[in-house]
Amino acid sequence: MEQPTSDIQQRVQKLSQQLHLASYAYYVLDAPIMEDAIYDQLYRELQQLETDYPQLITPDSPTQRVGEKPATQFTSVRHNIPLYSLENAFNTQELKAWEQRGQKVLKTEEKEINSSEPLYICELKIDGSALALTYENGILVRGTTRGDGVTGEEITQNVKTIRSIPLRLKLENPPPKVEVRGEAFLSVNIFDKINQERQKNGESLFANPRNAAAGTLRQLDSKIVRSRQLDFFAYTLHLEELALKTQWDALELLQEMGFKVNPNRQLCPSLTEVQNYFQSWESSRQNLPYMTDGVVVKINPLSRQEQLGFTQKFPRWAIALKYPAEEAPTKLLAVTVQVGRTGALTPVAELEPLQLAGTTVQRATLHNSDRIAELDLHIGDTVIVRKAGEIIPEVVRNLPELRPTNAQPFQMPTHCPECGQAVVKPQTEAVTRCINTSCPAILRGSLIHWCSRDAVDINGVGEKLVQQLVERELVSSVADLYELTVEKLTQLERMGEKSATKIVNAITESKSQPWARVLYGLGIRHVGSVNAELLTQKFSTVEQLANSTPADIEGVHGIGVEIAVAVHQWFNVPANQALIERLKQQGLNLASQPSTPESLSEKQDLKLSGKTFVLTGTLPNLKRDEAKKLIQTAGGKVTSSVSSKTDYVVVGEDAGSKLTKAQELGISQLSEAELLELLENSA
């Protein structure tokens, strides 16, 4: 038997300690310190290490326990029938392995495994709190929490406040005794209202609807439980008198008894249909009024469930197929530092690869030195990484409890990793910067930004080509791009005459881009595409903008002090003035096209003319620039900041401080659908 190293022994010990702490906080204190997905991944890591090194298994290991002790403020009762937890699968390979294990057991039992009934039933996994309900002669007599699966907490008075749980079964001849299992949960809308109320009262917010449901069920005052409007889905029952054949039959009977049963269940003849069901709900679940984090797959025929039985911890006939987590733990292998076009040094975490939100993640942003200090990062730490939708992964927190001995803290470099010049960190900023204007990284970033789609949009000039242009010293500013020739470009690796001609033509075509795009392409700090549009509407020529004062610039609606100062400072740098002159000579568009009386009249006739919009968050279907163009086409104006002059704030998912400010100012908020309706009515 292979002997574990001291590092492995230490890792097992620390994982056990952290999992015990998380379990105690969740089950006993009602104060979770770790998300389910993170707990699952740490648990699986410990489980794998114990599989590889069984000599490290201890009697008190988290893997050797069915559950945790219930809290003491309620009466502890023993379940009539144990409430087993479910084994988790995180991909189709693990699901197939579960099926194969079940098939082996059935063959070992030498039972008939053919059946006319569909083999599987899929039900959405409701993110709530499990309950066991006991009925005697049709009357609810006891409601208990899951607890450790063997012993739970008796909370009958609280259970009776849940309107979707019948106090009397809707059966003419109810059985003498029946036990119903299901999930108590909070709808998303009710959860949001509870948190809003708690925020008003200065109370800590619930982390998610599941935690809120669990906390609600354990309130000593049943009036509080009733006020929170918990809901309930029943998913199984235990009784001996009625001979049921399938799990589907059990759900149908539960409905006859008066219980709510999740309508989104489906019979599946094989794992192929199971996978289709799972995939179909991966995005659709976002539209449900309650939270679900996966699909529960069960063997449908109850005779097969009986044949398969249970392991020490799980039923062999059911498994939870989980959706990819948006947060998960992994190890920090190293930290590299990137230099951007403004000279900002951005630390990037190099990670042990992990699956997150359906993709493999190996790198994540750490933002700046202040963030690193806040996280207290050491190389070798276990860190939590988040990825939501299309957003770049980021390290959101650290687990120093799992830190290896002799782990070294990461320190930001004192010199630029690209040019070797000393870096600076202004007291008013969180960002460390290289201020060497000749730094190759700053030049590369400036060129890539200039050529980007929202700037002058030079097709074919990407990172690889820019890298070569800088290394060969063919380009030292964006103006040099317009002096490139086919002959110069064909000197580069893998650059033929045909490709070089296309690039030269694309560079020439970029001269026709409007003044707003050119201004954005200059890369002035804080000037995004929206601000560039606003500035060029006010200052129709580069001379007007260059000669303006900060007060003049700040007078533009939507432009603040920070932007005004940055623009004024940029145009007062001699090197930038020289750049503008070169761009003029090369024929770039540094003035707005004059408006004709006809175009002005048409713009005034548009129904959104004079209306100011701000976009915040991620919209379900429209990209931000698409929404912006639609608003502008209808005569509206899009700005980047909320003020009393803002008419509408268009709100998407993960809306931030702009939404908060809009609420404070009483500004109207629109969803994407409401925006499209407004645009349609304005057409």
Side-chain angles (χ1 to χ4, degrees), residues 465 468 486 489-497 499-500 503:
L465 179 57
Q468 288 193 70
V486 172
L489 287 173
T490 52
Q491 299 172 17
L492 303 177
E493 294 178 12
R494 298 181 180 180
M495 180 65 70
E497 185 174 338
S499 297
I503 289 171

Side-chain angles (χ1 to χ4, degrees), residues 12 74 90 115 172 192 248 311 335 430-431 444 472 538 579:
V12 167
F74 292 99
F90 293 91
S115 172
E172 290 187 10
D192 290 340
W248 188 272
T311 67
V335 176
V431 178
R444 288 197 304 270
R472 296 288 190 92
K538 173 68 174 179
L579 173 62

